[in-house]
Amino acid sequence: MCFHESSFQPTQFLLLVGVPVASALLLVQCLRWHRCRWLLRACWKLDSQEEPASEPTPLPENESARQCPPATLPEMAAFYQELHTPTQGQTITRQLMHKLLVFSAREVDHRGGCLILQDTGISLLIPPGAVAVGRQERVSLILVWDLSDAPQLSRAQGLVSPVVACGPHGASFLKPCTLTFKHCAQQPSHARTYGSNTNLLDAKAWKPLGQSGVHTSLDECRIHLSHFSLYTCVLEAPAGREARKWLQLAVFCSPLAPGQSHLQLRVYFLNNTPCALQWAVTNEQPHGGRLRGPCQLFDFTGARGDQYLKLKYISEGWENVDESSCQLVPHLHIWHGKCPFRSFCFRKKAANENVDCSALTNEIIVTMHTYQDGLETKYMEILRFQVSEEESWAVPPPVFQPPACNRLPPELFEQLQMLLEPNSITGNDWRRLASHLGLCGMKIRFMSCQRSPAAAILELFEEQNGSLQELHYLMTLMERLDCASVIQNYLSGTHSSSSLAPVARAGAWENRGLELELDEKL
């Protein structure tokens, strides 16, 4: 009995000691394995928490941003020196430091002055008294055509104006200066002005400006500046409202030379601002492309999808080289003001077939439809595009600098606009003035699509360098004695100061307090 007890004790000892030790080792191993998994999950969790705080994935149109080498100090000094060198009243278009810029510069003294960027609708007014007596300041006005300098926009925001810089950066004056530029928002109350208090070569920091000193009219932004910086306008519709802007569709093509077998045309989808059209004209110059016919307005909404361009008709003797007759333009490329275009290439059928159709291919007639996705039934028909070998514009015209055009005083401009705008049953309104200026029926119909046809006709009169005396004669000839009386009162110096408040327009005046020098043509 004793021997049995003694033989049982080692086994019992092993059971009593070995099992807890093995359990402890197994528990430690389990804890280590569980801790590793917990740490891994913690890392995943941290990664997932940091993901929303990171920068959003760039949109497709932002992926092509150029990576330029950093500028050296001498390069930056030369860059700003060229921008601020007086241009003697000329508007310069030049690529500097990988940026395509349109600028003008001048010196101003206590009498003030005005800077105008020709054909862009952009002006900067320095009023009298803004500079101290005995001092001269150099100022510059710059249109920035580098898309990377525009604000980074969300899908709900749209770019409706150019990016404009006033220099030198940070300059301040004794009186506020007035910057004026165009916008294309359908509702002026939806257009919000932004500013970036940075140099032109620095990273931009766009922030919305307050309502003080900012006025947005039907197609124009006017900002009273306390100091110089960068400015633009963004479309931001309130919650529950639909954001819309006006586009202009511009068709360009190269000349159709005799014996030419191929022809390419390009359709630009541009903001309805003068500077956007000038960008397309500048972009077409290296290719010899010229604008075909007047631009057409298009109602573009931010709540819809992509834009489609569909080829509907080609005249006999020509064929479409592209595989598809319908092309797509991404919605955000238009909404964010990237100035996209789509092209079609056509070929004479006689180039591939033994058929003599030279009589049919010496000209080409094309019709296209464009619409937003989901609005196929509400398409815009692009006017018939026609090119002929006999056209004189096949040879590029000589380049010349057009003379500076006269500008109507802003208060007189507004009064005439209000009087001529309402349509008359007899047609004795802006349409009659348009016919006196040499516009035909199709061009008058195009003018009627503008937001203010009367303003467009008056601007055309300004571009033709018409004088106030000549405009007075035309109004008398039209039997618009009300308009003639307004002009006569202004010429006689009896126009009331209580009339409509003047609105600063591009090139409206050179110096406040100085009379405009208008050509005497009669």
Side-chain angles (χ1 to χ4, degrees):
M1 185 70 179
C2 292
F3 176 76
H4 175 71
E5 291 177 355
S6 63
S7 63
F8 179 75
Q9 287 177 354
T11 305
Q12 187 178 12
F13 176 78
L14 290 175
L15 290 174
L16 293 174
V17 176
V19 171
V21 172
S23 300
L25 293 175
L26 183 60
L27 179 61
V28 170
Q29 187 67 21
C30 290
L31 288 174
R32 291 178 60 189
W33 177 74
H34 178 72
R35 183 172 179 269
C36 291
R37 291 193 59 187
W38 178 83
L39 288 175
L40 185 58
R41 282 201 307 268
C43 293
W44 288 343
K45 187 175 182 181
L46 288 174
D47 291 342
S48 63
Q49 289 175 349
E50 291 175 357
E51 216 171 275
S54 62
E55 291 295 325
T57 303
L59 298 172
E61 65 267 25
N62 295 330
E63 292 177 354
S64 60
R66 297 185 301 272
Q67 296 296 330
C68 301
T72 62
L73 290 179
E75 289 175 340
M76 295 174 63
F79 172 81
Y80 290 115
Q81 181 179 1
E82 184 162 3
L83 286 181
H84 303 322
T85 301
T87 59
Q88 309 303 323
Q90 302 297 317
T91 298
I92 309 297
T93 301
R94 191 167 299 164
Q95 186 163 357
L96 302 173
M97 297 292 293
H98 309 285
K99 294 180 182 293
L100 184 58
L101 306 174
V102 181
F103 60 94
S104 180
R106 62 168 294 174
E107 291 185 346
V108 294
D109 53 18
H110 67 279
R111 295 172 296 179
C114 185
L115 288 170
I116 304 169
L117 297 184
Q118 187 178 1
D119 299 326
T120 63
I122 303 172
S123 68
L124 176 64
L125 173 68
I126 296 90
V131 179
V133 178
R135 290 183 57 86
Q136 283 194 340
E137 299 286 347
R138 285 190 178 184
V139 295
S140 59
L141 181 62
I142 307 161
L143 167 61
V144 183
W145 273 344
D146 188 352
L147 297 179
S148 64
D149 286 330
Q152 295 295 320
L153 305 176
S154 67
R155 293 181 179 273
Q157 295 174 308
L159 191 66
V160 291
S161 79
V163 174
V164 182
C166 301
H169 168 69
S172 59
F173 296 85
L174 301 178
K175 291 184 179 180
C177 303
T178 303
L179 172 66
T180 306
F181 54 87
K182 300 290 185 179
H183 73 82
C184 62
Q186 291 196 17
Q187 293 293 333
S189 59
H190 296 174
R192 192 172 188 183
T193 308
Y194 275 66
S196 177
N197 193 19
T198 56
N199 280 308
L200 191 55
L201 293 179
D202 294 342
K204 309 303 179 291
W206 292 101
K207 296 180 180 179
L209 300 179
Q211 296 298 325
S212 176
V214 177
H215 174 72
T216 305
S217 63
L218 187 65
D219 64 345
E220 204 169 57
C221 290
R222 189 169 71 254
I223 311 173
H224 296 292
L225 305 179
S226 59
H227 68 283
F228 283 179
S229 192
L230 281 82
Y231 305 93
T232 190
C233 191
V234 175
L235 181 59
E236 296 178 349
R241 301 289 299 277
E242 191 174 47
R244 311 172 79 96
K245 71 176 182 178
W246 289 109
L247 298 182
Q248 53 182 336
L249 308 180
V251 181
F252 288 82
C253 85
S254 302
L256 179 60
Q260 182 176 334
S261 60
H262 289 73
L263 181 72
Q264 185 186 57
L265 67 88
R266 294 167 290 279
V267 180
Y268 285 78
F269 298 82
L270 307 169
N271 282 349
N272 188 33
T273 58
C275 62
L277 181 59
Q278 287 303 312
W279 179 89
V281 171
T282 303
N283 192 54
E284 285 289 324
Q285 285 178 354
H287 312 290
R290 295 189 62 187
L291 182 64
R292 294 297 303 175
C295 298
Q296 290 183 265
L297 291 181
F298 186 85
D299 179 9
F300 192 81
T301 173
R304 295 292 177 178
D306 300 330
Q307 187 80 10
Y308 287 90
L309 180 65
K310 182 174 290 188
L311 182 64
K312 300 297 292 184
Y313 171 79
I314 315 175
S315 57
E316 187 177 355
W318 291 85
E319 61 182 352
N320 182 20
V321 176
D322 302 312
E323 296 180 356
S324 174
S325 62
C326 183
Q327 297 196 31
L328 179 145
V329 185
H331 174 267
L332 289 181
H333 288 196
I334 300 177
W335 192 237
H336 289 172
K338 304 298 182 183
C339 302
F341 70 88
R342 290 297 178 265
S343 63
F344 285 104
C345 185
F346 305 106
R347 175 176 53 200
K348 291 182 179 180
K349 288 184 178 180
N352 290 332
E353 301 174 5
N354 296 323
V355 179
D356 185 14
C357 54
S358 57
L360 300 175
T361 58
N362 61 353
E363 68 173 8
I364 179 173
I365 302 175
V366 178
T367 301
M368 292 170 287
H369 289 179
T370 183
Y371 53 86
Q372 278 190 268
D373 190 16
L375 295 175
E376 290 82 359
T377 58
K378 297 182 180 180
Y379 62 85
M380 164 73 72
E381 179 172 298
I382 298 180
L383 294 178
R384 292 175 61 177
F385 165 86
Q386 183 173 352
V387 180
S388 175
E389 290 181 357
E390 288 78 16
E391 292 188 11
S392 59
W393 69 276
V395 178
V399 178
F400 67 94
Q401 185 69 28
C405 58
N406 293 324
R407 298 291 179 180
L408 298 176
E411 62 271 24
L412 180 61
F413 187 98
E414 276 202 350
Q415 293 183 60
L416 293 176
Q417 178 184 353
M418 292 182 62
L419 293 173
L420 294 172
E421 192 74 61
N423 288 336
S424 171
I425 299 178
T426 61
N428 196 17
D429 44 44
W430 63 267
R431 293 169 293 181
R432 183 70 57 83
L433 179 59
S435 63
H436 280 295
L437 296 181
L439 298 187
C440 60
M442 187 182 73
K443 292 183 178 180
I444 293 178
R445 288 196 299 272
F446 168 72
M447 287 294 183
S448 65
C449 299
Q450 303 296 316
R451 280 173 286 180
S452 177
I457 295 300
L458 291 173
E459 289 175 356
L460 177 63
F461 177 80
E462 292 175 334
E463 292 174 2
Q464 295 182 0
N465 286 322
S467 64
L468 287 179
Q469 288 82 359
E470 187 174 4
L471 186 59
H472 180 272
Y473 171 77
L474 288 176
M475 293 303 168
T476 306
L477 191 65
M478 293 167 51
E479 297 183 355
R480 288 301 301 263
L481 301 183
D482 53 345
C483 298
S485 176
V486 169
I487 300 173
Q488 183 62 43
N489 290 340
Y490 185 86
L491 291 174
S492 302
T494 60
H495 56 286
S496 174
S497 60
S498 62
S499 60
L500 292 173
V503 176
R505 296 186 302 110
W509 58 80
E510 177 67 23
N511 289 318
R512 187 183 300 171
L514 298 178
E515 294 291 333
L516 280 174
E517 297 180 0
L518 299 174
D519 294 336
E520 300 284 338
K521 288 192 173 183
L522 295 179

